[in-house]
């Protein structure tokens, strides 16, 4: 029996969170959300292009899906706080994925600024899911600051490299019991999702690998299945690894036995 | 009257309410947020907030993101 996946008192049946960036069209996005079975998607806030009259992305996200607005574009805690407050004012909830990045090459999160922003926003009643570099001290500080989950990166955003941070994520899984651990960024193929779940992550978040696939809806379904099997493997406490062989068949009754 | 709207300097007739400015734009007002000089303007206040010379106005909405 699995324990429920709960963020800030809200139980999510799906352990697969989806990002909504980079999709070829809003119709594809809608189909992909449905196929993924996700219950929470990330969105971003940007200036409106006054010359475009673009249709709002929210019309393509089913109403019962939780919107997790990210603070992308924020270079420090102050800017992240400003974006979070704007998001809440828009009237679509108060779930925020804090993302503070001031490095353009690797898009690595600034843990110190993220902790500052978490402290302020959690104090204002926001539900905060911070994107973070998997560092145990930072994760503890985020929990103390009031984070509702922590979201360590698997590898660089959009890189599809998988769990380059595997060992550090495992330490967070082992040591942080208070809030869910959601592996975010770098998950490129379903096997990476399964690996994260087998490690004991509570959930994963994928965007680029799904959105930029030739068939995003089908890819999302494949990820969703990998999440389920990875979780089942974690719960079943799969067997240990060994650097020596161990025969699967009996070592007795051979035809050449005398 | 000069206004800085989403980073661009634009000229408008004087004494314009935020509400009437927004209604003149070809945008969907449903899911937008407005900030003037880094202060969020609640939707309910749009009709009674006037735009003033050199106000920095940000019109923000949701887009896809990870």
């Amino acid at each position: 029996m699995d324990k429920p996946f709960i963020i800030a008192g809200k139980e999510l049946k799906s352990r697969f969170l989806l990002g909504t960036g980079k999709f070829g069209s809003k119709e594809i996005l809608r189909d992909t959300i449905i196929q993924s079975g996700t219950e929470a998607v990330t969105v971003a806030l940007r200036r409106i292009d006054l010359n475009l009259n673009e249709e709002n992305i929210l019309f393509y996200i089913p109403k019962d899906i939780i919107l997790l607005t990210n603070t992308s574009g924020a270079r420090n805690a102050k800017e992240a706080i400003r974006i979070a407050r704007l998001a809440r004012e828009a009237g679509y909830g108060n779930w925020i994925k804090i993302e503070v990045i001031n490095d353009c090459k690797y898009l690595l999160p600034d843990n110190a600024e993220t902790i500052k922003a978490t402290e302020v926003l959690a104090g204002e009643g926001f539900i905060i899911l911070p994107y973070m570099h998997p560092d145990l001290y930072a994760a503890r500080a985020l929990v103390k600051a009031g984070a509702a989950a922590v979201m360590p990166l698997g590898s660089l955003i959009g890189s599809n490299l998988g769990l380059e941070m595997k060992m550090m994520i495992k330490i967070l899984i082992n040591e942080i019991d208070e809030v869910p651990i959601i592996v975010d960024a770098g998950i490129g193929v379903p096997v990476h999702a399964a690996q994260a779940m087998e490690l004991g992550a509570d959930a994963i978040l994928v965007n680029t690998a799904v959105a930029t696939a030739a068939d995003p809806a089908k890819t999302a379904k494949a990820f969703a299945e990998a999440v389920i099997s990875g979780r089942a493997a974690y719960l079943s406490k799969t067997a240990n690894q060994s650097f020596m062989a161990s025969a699967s068949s009996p070592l007795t009754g051979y035809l050449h036995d005398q | 009257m000069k206004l800085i709207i989403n980073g661009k300097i634009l000229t408008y007739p004087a004494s314009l309410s935020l509400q009437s400015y927004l209604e003149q734009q070809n945008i969907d007002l449903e899911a937008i947020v407005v900030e003037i000089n880094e202060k969020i303007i609640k939707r309910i206040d749009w009709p009674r907030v006037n735009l003033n010379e050199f106000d920095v106005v940000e019109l923000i909405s949701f887009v896809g993101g990870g």
Side-chain angles (χ1 to χ4, degrees):
Chain A
M1 183 69 182
D2 199 355
K3 63 170 189 181
F5 171 42
I6 297 171
I7 303 174
K10 165 86 182 164
E11 182 178 349
L12 301 180
K13 300 284 180 216
S14 169
R15 293 174 180 269
F16 178 24
L17 285 72
L18 188 69
T20 60
K22 300 185 186 169
F23 279 84
S25 76
K26 294 189 175 85
E27 289 78 13
I28 294 173
L29 169 64
R30 182 175 52 205
D31 291 347
T32 305
I33 290 173
I34 293 165
Q35 287 297 316
S36 72
T38 191
E39 291 165 289
V41 299
T42 53
V43 288
L45 278 182
R46 288 291 182 273
R47 282 174 170 169
I48 294 168
D49 186 336
L50 294 168
N51 301 315
L52 267 184
N53 190 25
E54 232 185 315
E55 237 188 323
N56 200 298
I57 192 171
L58 300 188
F59 300 144
Y60 292 83
I61 299 173
K63 293 276 174 264
D64 51 345
I65 303 273
I66 294 170
L67 281 191
L68 179 57
T69 307
N70 71 34
T71 65
S72 62
R75 295 162 295 180
N76 51 46
K78 192 175 166 236
E79 290 177 359
I81 291 163
R82 180 182 176 192
I83 295 169
R85 288 173 180 160
L86 284 165
R88 179 156 68 181
E89 187 56 34
Y92 290 85
N94 61 349
W95 286 47
I96 300 291
K97 171 181 159 183
I98 295 187
E99 194 178 322
V100 179
I101 292 172
N102 48 48
D103 163 86
C104 297
K105 191 171 177 186
Y106 303 106
L107 299 178
L108 287 169
D110 182 329
N111 279 352
E113 291 294 306
T114 303
I115 293 163
K116 277 192 225 165
T118 300
E119 219 156 33
V120 172
L121 293 170
E124 293 179 14
F126 285 89
I127 293 169
I128 298 299
L129 291 80
Y131 172 59
M132 54 102 58
H133 202 282
D135 171 82
L136 180 58
Y137 299 111
R140 282 180 176 150
L142 287 166
V143 171
K144 199 172 163 218
V150 287
M151 303 179 81
L153 62 100
S155 51
L156 304 181
I157 291 177
S159 69
N160 296 329
L161 285 172
L163 300 188
E164 293 290 330
M165 306 305 293
K166 188 174 174 186
M167 175 73 190
M168 298 302 132
I169 291 171
K170 184 63 184 166
I171 290 174
L172 298 196
I173 290 167
N174 288 347
E175 302 302 324
I176 303 287
D177 298 327
E178 302 89 334
V179 298
I181 308 282
I182 304 168
V183 178
D184 186 2
I187 294 179
V189 283
V191 70
H192 298 152
Q195 277 172 351
M197 299 308 294
E198 284 170 29
L199 271 186
D202 293 282
I204 57 142
L205 192 152
V206 183
N207 187 351
T208 300
V210 170
T212 63
D215 186 338
K218 203 170 185 175
T219 306
K221 199 157 188 286
F223 271 102
E225 287 167 4
V227 168
I228 290 168
S229 45
R231 182 67 185 174
Y234 169 71
L235 293 172
S236 67
K237 299 189 171 59
T238 48
N240 292 330
Q241 292 182 333
S242 161
F243 285 99
M244 290 192 34
S246 163
S248 313
S249 308
L251 294 171
T252 52
Y254 293 126
L255 296 183
H256 57 72
D257 280 351
Q258 298 298 315
Chain B
M1 170 176 67
K2 285 190 169 53
L3 298 169
I4 299 143
I5 297 179
N6 282 1
K8 289 196 182 103
I9 301 174
L10 301 168
T11 307
Y12 288 93
S15 77
L16 186 64
S17 82
L18 175 59
Q19 181 79 38
S20 48
Y21 166 75
L22 291 173
E23 281 167 3
Q24 285 167 26
Q25 307 308 309
N26 188 25
I27 52 172
D28 173 23
L29 299 182
E30 165 95 16
I32 75 161
V33 198
V34 182
E35 205 188 57
I36 299 178
N37 304 326
E38 295 204 15
K39 186 170 173 277
I40 294 169
I41 310 297
K42 290 190 178 296
R43 191 169 286 261
I44 195 171
D45 294 330
W46 289 358
R48 59 181 186 80
V49 167
N50 284 317
L51 296 171
N52 299 307
E53 180 97 49
F54 297 123
D55 271 351
V56 178
V57 182
E58 297 287 349
L59 307 175
I60 317 271
S61 192
F62 291 98
V63 295

